């Protein structure tokens, strides 16, 4: 363990930035690691520094004052030598050691060259955020069909609109800012299809009243959409995408309360791009192998279980932001500050926020968690969503596994969860390792249970050359004594598992 580091923070989004700044203010030496080339994460994504003046994106952001204050604080601590900021570093594994944690990273600053390295510290804080949760439908694998988050990332990162005539579908408030951002850039947003009904919020008036900024924000988006003549269609969904080389049209249908399409309500809409999103799935790739206890969230995901100070069940390991439940940037910032205060307390350092400040942050976090819970209950995945799928609908795009194959694995193969379906059909064994199809396969097999991602030994792709270099270093300087050591597990896997023949992948042949 390096004597120069007290804490490693993985993830430089809102939660990670707030945690790092608070820990640094308390006198700790921090390493902040992120796979991106700038701090801010997906929420505060910006164009490259040299292009920001030419590509205005401030209207796409909230909390820019917080972002700028946190960025300036990080820069100041970096100049003083207290912060070691590692951008374009991809974390592929984290393991426990006797005296803390070893975080295995790949340095990709000089891509395509990469170098594997190990960072060590007595305490680790994971704030890796979340990614778009997708539900497949016929035609969702056509070029031009993107996630809602993908559409927004193009806007924020480069001012790029994915199309000139766009339909949006799914559920949740995230549809509104994406529609507003596209419309403000001249895109014809032909439909915004919300599977839930707005009256569902009336069952949870308390969180709305306690978070006036949220409904004020929603009203502002509503006014923007009204100004551009864009309608939000409640209890409606995009149930099919059509086209040849790329998407050219979608079929939209009204939904019954259970989410099944109402017969006779289908209509076709011409488009050149589609954005679909069904909420988010927490990024738990580093936390699950470390042995953290999980708990069920109201949105159907399993999330990391933490105490009031964001401590996980693993000593010395903390989590903040969407890994603990999806709830937005303000909640993530608050949880990051709470986690850092816990790190300071556990390290014997003085608190930064003080008693009154800490109480205020705890109160804000509780209020925002209440809103997040209400949002999840008001915008659930439609129970009858599988009725949209024909047997030939592709569910796992990497391995081209269809809905019919998944259903057969359940009815004929006795599969009871997405892991067993993976063993029988290869769904989730491809390039994305189930990140895209995992929630959907889960919904087709065990929708009544919370989705828990598979335990992945390698969290991000790493070249064999880089892996060999670090494995050689590990043999020369063995440190980890924990049974989750990735090198030992990898060798055990190679020894115990027979090779599985792979068939050629048509789409990857075309792309590569």
């Amino acid at each position: 363990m390096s004597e120069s580091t007290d804490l490693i923070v993985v993830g430089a989004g809102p939660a990670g930035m707030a945690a790092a700044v608070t820990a640094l203010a308390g006198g700790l030496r921090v390493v902040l690691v992120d796979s991106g080339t700038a701090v801010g994460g997906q929420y505060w994504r910006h164009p490259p520094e040299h292009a920001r003046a030419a590509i205005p994106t401030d209207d796409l952001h909230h909390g820019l004052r917080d972002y700028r204050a946190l960025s300036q604080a990080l820069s100041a601590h970096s100049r003083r030598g207290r912060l070691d900021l590692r951008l374009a570093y991809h974390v592929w594994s984290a393991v426990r050691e006797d005296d803390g944690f070893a975080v295995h990273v790949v340095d990709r600053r000089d891509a395509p060259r990469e170098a594997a390295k190990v960072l060590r510290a007595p305490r680790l804080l994971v704030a890796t955020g979340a990614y778009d949760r997708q539900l497949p439908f016929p035609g969702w694998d056509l070029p031009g069909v993107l996630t809602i988050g993908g559409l927004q990332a193009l806007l924020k990162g480069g001012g790029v609109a994915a199309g000139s005539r766009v339909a949006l579908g799914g559920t949740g408030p995230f549809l509104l800012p994406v529609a507003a951002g596209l419309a403000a850039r001249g895109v014809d947003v032909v439909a915004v299809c919300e599977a839930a009904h707005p009256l569902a919020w009336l069952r949870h008036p308390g969180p709305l009243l306690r978070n006036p900024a949220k409904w004020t924000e929603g009203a502002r988006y509503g006014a923007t959409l009204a100004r551009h003549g864009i309608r939000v269609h409640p209890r409606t969904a995009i149930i099919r995408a059509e086209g040849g080389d790329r998407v050219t049209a979608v079929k939209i249908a009204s939904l019954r309360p259970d989410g099944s399409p109402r017969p006779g309500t289908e209509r076709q809409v011409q488009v050149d791009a589609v954005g679909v999103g069904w909420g988010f799935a927490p990024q738990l790739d580093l936390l699950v192998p470390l042995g953290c206890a999980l708990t069920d969230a109201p949105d159907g995901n399993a999330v990391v279980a933490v105490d009031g100070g964001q401590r996980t069940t693993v000593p010395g390991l903390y989590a903040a932001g969407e890994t603990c439940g999806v709830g937005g940037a303000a909640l993530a910032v608050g949880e990051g500050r709470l986690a850092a205060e816990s790190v300071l307390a556990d390290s014997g350092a003085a608190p930064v926020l003080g008693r009154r400040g800490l109480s205020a942050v705890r109160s804000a976090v509780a209020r925002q968690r209440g809103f997040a819970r209400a949002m999840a209950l008001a915008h659930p995945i439609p129970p009858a969503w599988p009725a949209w799928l024909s047997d030939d609908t592709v569910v796992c795009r990497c391995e081209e596994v269809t809905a019919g194959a998944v259903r057969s694995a359940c009815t004929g193969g006795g599969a009871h969860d997405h892991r067993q379906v993976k063993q029988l059909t290869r769904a989730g064994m491809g390039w994305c390792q189930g990140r895209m199809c995992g929630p959907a396969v889960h919904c087709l097999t065990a929708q009544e249970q919370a989705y828990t991602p598979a335990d992945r030994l390698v969290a991000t792709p790493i070249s064999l050359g880089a892996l060999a270099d670090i494995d050689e270093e590990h043999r020369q300087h063995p440190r980890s004594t924990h049974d989750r050591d990735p090198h030992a597990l990898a060798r055990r896997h190679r020894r115990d598992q027979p090779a599985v023949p792979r068939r050629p992948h048509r789409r990857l042949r075309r792309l590569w």
Side-chain angles (χ1 to χ4, degrees):
M1 180 182 64
S2 172
E3 294 299 321
S4 62
T5 302
D6 301 306
L7 171 69
I8 296 173
V9 179
V10 180
M17 292 176 74
V21 167
T22 304
L24 288 161
L28 300 187
R29 292 157 297 192
V30 177
V31 175
L32 177 58
V33 185
D34 195 273
S35 60
T37 56
V39 298
Q42 298 300 321
Y43 185 77
W44 284 323
R45 175 191 286 265
H46 285 79
E49 193 69 42
H50 68 273
R52 291 189 184 185
I55 306 175
T57 59
D58 281 7
D59 64 302
L60 301 172
H61 291 280
H62 292 278
L64 280 178
R65 182 179 299 177
D66 289 338
Y67 163 74
R68 288 166 180 151
L70 291 170
S71 296
Q72 290 168 5
L74 291 174
S75 296
H77 285 291
S78 181
R79 288 193 298 270
R80 297 188 194 107
R82 307 288 299 180
L83 170 66
D84 182 1
L85 180 59
R86 304 287 186 105
L87 296 176
Y89 275 66
H90 296 241
V91 179
W92 65 271
S93 180
V95 296
R96 283 184 280 171
E97 294 185 337
D98 290 338
D99 50 357
F101 295 87
V103 177
H104 298 264
V105 299
V106 183
D107 178 1
R108 292 189 171 128
R109 289 174 297 172
D110 190 23
R113 293 181 56 194
E114 60 182 37
K117 300 180 181 180
V118 183
L119 308 174
R120 291 185 168 89
R123 290 178 173 81
L124 172 63
L125 195 158
V126 177
T128 43
Y131 57 92
D132 289 84
R133 179 169 60 183
Q134 287 298 292
L135 299 182
F137 53 93
W140 78 305
D141 53 347
L142 282 170
V145 180
L146 292 84
T147 67
I148 286 286
L151 286 178
Q152 192 185 63
L154 289 173
L155 287 175
K156 287 183 174 181
V160 175
S164 59
R165 187 174 170 85
V166 180
L168 306 180
T171 192
F174 191 38
L175 295 171
L176 303 181
V178 176
L182 289 169
R185 282 148 183 81
V187 175
D188 183 8
V189 181
V190 296
V192 178
C193 303
E194 166 59 69
H197 199 285
L199 293 179
W201 279 97
L202 297 181
R203 303 190 195 108
H204 316 283
L208 272 178
L209 296 175
R210 288 190 288 272
N211 292 272
K214 296 289 188 182
W215 51 264
T216 301
E217 180 183 335
R220 188 165 62 250
Y221 287 134
T224 300
L225 298 186
R227 189 165 62 250
H228 289 278
I230 299 169
R231 278 191 60 198
V232 177
H233 303 274
R235 200 159 281 171
T236 305
I238 296 171
I239 61 171
R240 177 180 291 273
E242 300 174 339
D245 292 337
R246 62 174 294 113
V247 64
T248 57
V250 293
K251 280 193 175 178
I252 296 171
S254 297
L255 303 180
R256 295 190 178 103
D258 67 352
S260 57
R262 291 185 182 276
T265 65
E266 290 187 11
R267 61 188 179 95
Q268 188 181 66
V269 178
Q270 301 300 310
V271 300
D272 59 8
V274 181
V276 184
W278 297 94
F280 299 90
Q283 188 77 270
L284 304 180
D285 290 353
L286 299 178
L287 292 161
V288 170
L290 283 167
C292 296
L294 305 179
T295 187
D296 294 352
D299 63 355
N301 287 306
V303 299
V304 177
V306 293
D307 67 8
Q310 304 300 128
R311 300 175 182 86
T312 73
T313 54
V314 175
L317 179 62
Y318 310 78
E322 315 286 46
T323 57
C324 308
V326 176
L331 173 58
V333 167
E335 290 181 347
R337 288 174 175 150
L338 290 181
E341 285 287 350
S342 295
V343 173
L344 290 169
D346 297 345
S347 303
V352 170
L353 296 174
R355 182 178 299 178
R356 190 171 294 180
L358 188 59
S359 177
V361 173
R362 290 188 189 280
S363 177
V365 165
R367 187 173 66 249
Q368 290 151 2
R369 282 178 179 164
F371 183 87
R373 176 177 176 79
M375 180 176 66
L377 295 175
H379 295 276
I381 291 177
W385 153 77
W388 308 355
L389 307 184
S390 58
D391 277 349
D392 62 352
T393 301
V394 173
V395 173
C396 173
R397 297 189 292 191
C398 297
E399 295 293 330
E400 299 181 335
V401 179
T402 64
V406 174
R407 288 165 175 153
S408 295
C410 296
T411 57
H416 299 294
D417 60 30
H418 65 93
R419 296 175 183 82
Q420 293 174 339
V421 171
K422 177 179 180 179
Q423 293 169 346
L424 294 172
T425 68
R426 297 191 63 86
M429 287 190 180
W431 181 259
C432 80
Q433 285 294 287
R435 290 173 181 84
M436 289 294 291
C437 69
V441 175
H442 167 78
C443 287
L444 288 171
T445 55
Q447 189 170 1
E448 69 283 355
Q449 302 171 14
Y451 170 65
T452 303
D455 185 343
R456 300 185 183 100
L457 176 64
V458 178
T460 190
I462 179 173
S463 70
L464 292 177
L467 190 61
D469 290 344
I470 200 167
D471 196 42
E472 180 63 29
E473 178 188 345
H474 178 77
R475 282 197 297 269
Q476 294 176 3
H477 307 285
R479 296 180 60 98
S480 178
T481 59
H482 194 265
D483 61 1
R484 300 300 301 186
D485 169 38
H487 309 286
L489 284 177
R491 288 191 292 272
R492 190 185 314 153
H493 178 81
R494 291 194 298 266
R495 183 179 66 246
D496 297 341
Q497 300 297 321
V500 179
R502 292 180 62 92
R503 54 186 173 84
H505 194 292
R506 173 167 51 86
R507 286 191 177 84
L508 288 184
R509 285 206 309 273
R510 189 164 66 238
L511 289 172
W512 297 100

